[in-house]
Amino acid sequence: MLNGKVAAVTGGARGIGAAVCRKLASLGADIAVIDRSGSDAAEAHAAELAAQYGVRAKDYACDVSDAEQCKAVVKAILADFGALTILVNNAGITRDALMLSMKQEDFDAVINTNLKGVFNMTQACYRPFMKAKYGKIINLASVSGLLGTAGQANYAASKAGVMALTKVTARELASRNFTCNAVAPGFIATDMTAAISAEAAENYLKSIPLGRAGTPEDVANLIAFLASPESDYLTGEVIRIDGGLAIS
Ligand code: NAP
């Protein structure tokens, strides 16, 4: 379904991003695995994608909070693959603390990665999309941006910003028939949620109507739909994928 498409996935070496790479590759897309540091894990993941799915795959180091690095990585992807048609803005971090004790640098770090990173990568991809005459952007928001989770002033604000940016991008790209949507996961089992206390995890699980944490694959399946032509008439939407956690 995605043969001939080239997908860039930020934070693609582990967690949700790694599952997204696998799913898109299984549908035939070539994959640019972007991670912050150009780790061995990213290189191994790209090699595995190529071997398992017979697609082209390569790893790239890029800190998405740095606009120049984003421009450079898009240029490198275009040089290697000849096109770029799908962008999954997945890279994200948490630096949780109650507002009273949240450090300035932790507020800035989260906004710069989670929100400005989405802006930087999206801006860098506008021209390549126009050249390819195909563009799908999928942004990772979070139910935290809908609920305003206590202890996540930086994170919740960044993700609410991602939802707004998704709508702006969708409007700006609509005349070209390119789409931009966001997914808002709830509690997904990754390194990010492994870092929270057992008590907090237990509380999350109790408030999920479907009674379990999500898997990276649950999220990847939705993102694959949003990256495919099957979602061509869907844009500017934020879709919760949370087992019902934030049903309103
Ligand atoms: P994760 O396991 O912690 O992985 C995060 C990925 O982002 C890593 O590959 C990391 O690269 C990369 N990254 C972080 N900062 C970066 C930067 N400045 N530049 C480039 N890459 C960077 O996280 P996850 O749970 O898979 O989450 C993926 C996305 O889903 C995030 O946006 C997160 O906010 C969102 N989300 C997750 C959950 C959940 O429950 N897990 C819920 C809602 C939303 P390194 O390995 O180099 O650090």
Side-chain angles (χ1 to χ4, degrees):
M1 195 199 301
L2 295 178
N3 290 323
K5 304 290 186 285
V6 181
V9 182
T10 68
R14 58 192 173 96
I16 293 171
V20 170
C21 291
R22 284 192 294 272
K23 183 69 189 181
L24 298 183
S26 76
L27 296 173
D30 293 326
I31 308 289
V33 181
I34 299 174
D35 88 332
R36 185 171 19 194
S37 48
S39 62
D40 291 348
E43 192 180 348
H45 185 45
E48 211 177 289
L49 293 169
Q52 188 164 353
Y53 301 106
V55 298
R56 293 182 295 166
K58 192 171 173 193
D59 63 298
Y60 299 85
C62 169
D63 179 342
V64 296
S65 67
D66 182 325
E68 291 309 313
Q69 288 191 37
C70 293
K71 283 183 208 159
V73 80
V74 168
K75 208 170 157 190
I77 292 166
L78 290 172
D80 291 336
F81 291 92
L84 177 52
T85 45
I86 296 166
L87 170 64
V88 183
N89 279 311
N90 166 80
I93 57 170
T94 50
R95 296 278 188 277
D96 294 355
L98 292 173
M99 200 144 17
L100 197 61
S101 53
M102 185 172 282
K103 295 191 182 98
Q104 287 282 326
E105 61 261 35
D106 287 341
F107 189 88
D108 291 347
V110 170
I111 296 291
N112 286 339
T113 298
N114 297 9
L115 179 57
K116 197 163 170 236
V118 173
F119 172 78
N120 288 340
M121 284 302 297
T122 300
Q123 193 178 49
C125 286
Y126 260 51
R127 284 200 173 84
F129 282 2
M130 283 169 195
K131 208 167 161 220
K133 297 189 169 48
Y134 188 94
K136 296 269 184 194
I137 300 177
I138 301 96
N139 294 330
L140 269 288
S142 166
V143 294
S144 182
L146 296 167
L147 299 173
T149 309
Q152 293 199 310
N154 47 7
Y155 185 78
S158 74
K159 295 301 187 179
V162 166
M163 294 178 205
L165 209 50
T166 299
K167 294 174 189 182
V168 173
T169 310
R171 285 187 192 278
E172 290 193 6
L173 294 180
S175 64
R176 310 250 173 189
N177 275 326
F178 305 158
T179 66
C180 177
N181 293 287
V183 300
F187 188 80
I188 311 298
T190 67
D191 293 345
M192 185 177 272
T193 45
I196 73 172
S197 72
E199 193 192 344
E202 187 64 35
N203 284 339
Y204 266 118
L205 289 175
K206 275 191 206 143
S207 48
I208 298 172
L210 286 180
R212 66 167 176 90
T215 64
E217 288 71 26
D218 288 326
V219 183
N221 289 339
L222 173 58
I223 290 175
F225 167 68
L226 295 172
S228 80
E230 289 190 343
S231 64
D232 275 353
Y233 198 55
L234 181 59
T235 197
E237 191 54 89
V238 178
I239 304 176
R240 284 188 300 105
I241 174 141
D242 64 353
L245 174 66
I247 289 174
S248 56

